[in-house]
Structure formats: C-alpha cells, structure tokens
Amino acid sequence: MAEKLIESGFTAGDGYGEVWIRDFNTFIDLSCKVNDKAIIKKHLITFFQFQQPDGGILDGYVPVKNGNVPYNYYHSKLAPNYAGHKNTVETDQETSLIQAVAKYIKGTGDKTILTETIDGVTVQKRLEQAMDFLLKQRFEKKYGLLWGATTADWGDVQPEHDWGVVLDSNSHRTIDIYDNAMFVIAINDFVNMASLSAKDQQYWKGLKAVLKKISENIFGTLSSRNLSRIFI
C-alpha cells in the first residue's frame, strides 16, 4: 500500500499542491524504489533552482497556477513554472535537503547529482552553502547551537499568529533537539557523500563533533528536568 501511494506523486498528500522538502526527505527512500530516478532527481534539483543568495532553502514549491495559499511566494528564472515559499519559523529545510540528496544517492547509486551545475554552481557547493546559511543566520553563539522559532502543530507553525509561518518580532526563539539533531545528521551525510579536501573533511567532522557534544550536554541536562528546549 505504501509503495502504491508513493508511486502516485511527490506531494505531501491530496490536499497539498506543493512538493515539500521535509516530506520529500521522509519518503524519498521508498520513492527511489518505485519511481523513475530521473523524476526524483528533477524534483531535488528544483529546490536548488530556488536556493537564495544567502544559501537558504525553501520549504516547497508549487505550479504557479496552483499557488493560491497566502504565502509570500517568490520566483526563480531557473524554474519559471513554479512558485516557491519558505516557512521562516523553521530551521530544517536546509538539513532536510542535504539528507534527501544523500538518500537519493544511496537509493539510486547516482552520485552525478553532486556535480550537476545550477546557475554555475555545483550541487555539492550548494549543499555547503545551505549549511553555511544555518551557521550564519540560525546559530546562537551563546550556546553553540542552532535556533528556530517556538512551534507547535506539526512543528512548523508558531502560536503567535493565525497563519504562524513567518518569523517576526512576536516570535519566541528557541533551541531544540530536533533542529540540531537534523544538522548533525546532515553534516554526517555531507561528509560521507561529498568529494572534499582533507582540510574540509576535518572542518565538517570537527563541527559535527562539537555540535553533538554540546547537544548531549545541554539536552541531557534538560531531559533530567523534563524539558526539551531552551528559550532565548
């Protein structure tokens, strides 16, 4: 039943027109077993076609004609048939894409995706830019970990607004286990699949070790007090 469902498409369900990176990352293993790898690769590449100058990755994209949800849509000359949007209260789009690419390579054996060039920049470099976005835009130096907004629902909606997907002055920033665990997994995936110099290998492995150690220390202490996040 699962295979039959996944064969039907790449959206999060009948009620959604978008291809979401979080959901895609969740089911891409099974998708690689039942769908054409060229189509899977195309959907992954589309996310890079929407990558922002700061390295940020969007949540999802939808055919322009179906973009009727009140998101702040943005467009790319590289994917003119789609409209993209980013839920700025989250901190898992970049890490979800990195993990999805790693799963695609594992599931299909097609490592050429890393050397695909989008607007003059390879996918491998774009993955690195996505991680740099997190370190520059979503890194709390005081704690040495990533932050995001306090969210509820499926973990992607903040309670301060009815819509709840835009980071603003009403948002409550927090450091949680999920965002940082996703980053540690993404770094590990990147190191294992990318062609890196010894210096770059050392850098990313060192960063992963530091993040893991800090996370274990902080969240281990919090869990003993029945807490799962730090409000900042």
Side-chain angles (χ1 to χ4, degrees), residues 83-219:
H85 57 82
K86 185 176 180 71
N87 180 337
T88 56
V89 304
E90 299 175 274
T91 309
D92 68 345
Q93 299 95 335
E94 292 75 21
T95 52
S96 292
L97 181 56
I98 294 164
Q99 292 176 31
V101 171
K103 290 173 183 175
Y104 167 81
I105 292 173
K106 182 179 180 181
T108 66
D110 178 21
K111 200 171 182 179
T112 64
I113 188 172
L114 294 174
T115 55
E116 288 277 341
T117 301
I118 297 97
D119 204 24
V121 182
T122 65
V123 165
Q124 177 173 310
K125 184 62 179 178
R126 288 183 175 276
L127 292 174
E128 190 171 10
Q129 290 173 345
M131 291 191 291
D132 285 337
F133 166 83
L134 294 173
L135 293 171
K136 292 176 181 177
Q137 304 294 334
R138 294 298 178 101
F139 189 76
E140 174 55 55
K141 292 182 179 180
K142 178 180 178 180
Y143 294 100
L145 295 170
L146 300 185
W147 63 269
T150 302
T151 55
D153 191 46
W154 283 42
D156 59 359
V157 178
Q158 64 182 0
E160 287 80 2
H161 306 96
D162 291 338
W163 189 225
V165 298
V166 179
L167 190 70
D168 64 16
S169 60
N170 297 300
S171 304
H172 291 84
R173 299 200 314 168
T174 186
I175 294 173
D176 63 44
I177 297 172
Y178 170 69
D179 290 333
N180 289 282
M182 287 288 283
F183 194 26
V184 169
I185 294 169
I187 294 174
N188 192 59
D189 283 342
F190 178 71
V191 169
N192 287 333
M193 67 178 162
S195 298
L196 300 172
S197 66
K199 181 179 180 181
D200 287 342
Q201 281 264 356
Q202 183 179 15
Y203 169 75
W204 289 113
K205 285 182 178 179
L207 177 60
K208 184 191 74 170
V210 170
L211 289 172
K212 185 177 180 181
K213 183 176 181 180
I214 293 174
S215 295
E216 289 172 346
N217 289 340
I218 290 179
F219 292 116

